[in-house]
Amino acid sequence: MKYVETEQELARLKAEYTRRACNSLYNERYSYFNDATLLHVHNLERNLLALLKRHRFTPLSEKKILDVGCGSGNHLRRFLDYGASPANLSGIDLIAPRIEQARQLHCSIDWRIGSAHSLPYADATFDLVMSFVVFSSI
């Protein structure tokens, strides 16, 4: 993708997420008090834990983990409950207010504002790289 096209796409994504942040419909749709959302979150967590177990990716205490498109860090913070060390967790998201919220919720995790187009990490830094929402946004 050309640089101009990439910048246009990033601007489009930022504008869309800004629009959604101002719409209460999205807040209600993704609230844990919404039964469908809660079911989805529980199902995702059950499947994620099963995958980690099946691939013998535990324990997580020494694993370096990156969440690309981490939002406010909900998924990445769950890895603390699974035994991951905050010093080994990193999250990156395009939307600055989401990273600010993530930092407020857990300041020991490496939170960064940035794009998946150009990650600010050296190759082979992580044992696990995950992305939960990015592909549905592009």
Side-chain angles (χ1 to χ4, degrees), residues 31-43:
S31 168
Y32 287 157
F33 293 103
N34 177 326
D35 290 340
T37 298
L38 188 59
L39 180 64
H40 171 74
V41 168
H42 286 167
N43 190 46

Side-chain angles (χ1 to χ4, degrees), residues 1-11 115 117-118:
M1 189 181 283
K2 296 177 187 173
Y3 178 77
V4 172
E5 292 169 339
T6 301
E7 291 302 311
Q8 289 172 341
E9 178 63 5
L10 293 176
S115 167
H117 287 94
S118 179

Side-chain angles (χ1 to χ4, degrees), residues 20-84:
R20 288 181 182 190
C22 297
N23 186 333
S24 64
L25 174 67
Y26 288 98
N27 292 332
E28 293 169 19
R29 178 181 295 162
Y30 297 113
S31 168
Y32 287 157
F33 293 103
N34 177 326
D35 290 340
T37 298
L38 188 59
L39 180 64
H40 171 74
V41 168
H42 286 167
N43 190 46
L44 181 113
E45 184 170 31
R46 189 173 29 263
N47 287 320
L48 176 60
L49 291 169
L51 279 170
L52 293 170
K53 186 177 177 180
R54 181 181 328 137
H55 292 282
R56 295 180 174 88
F57 200 76
T58 60
L60 297 176
S61 58
E62 299 299 319
K63 304 286 195 224
K64 295 190 180 294
I65 301 169
L66 171 64
D67 187 359
V68 177
C70 66
S72 59
N74 292 338
H75 296 297
L76 197 56
R77 285 193 318 274
R78 294 294 297 150
F79 274 75
L80 297 170
D81 294 334
Y82 308 154

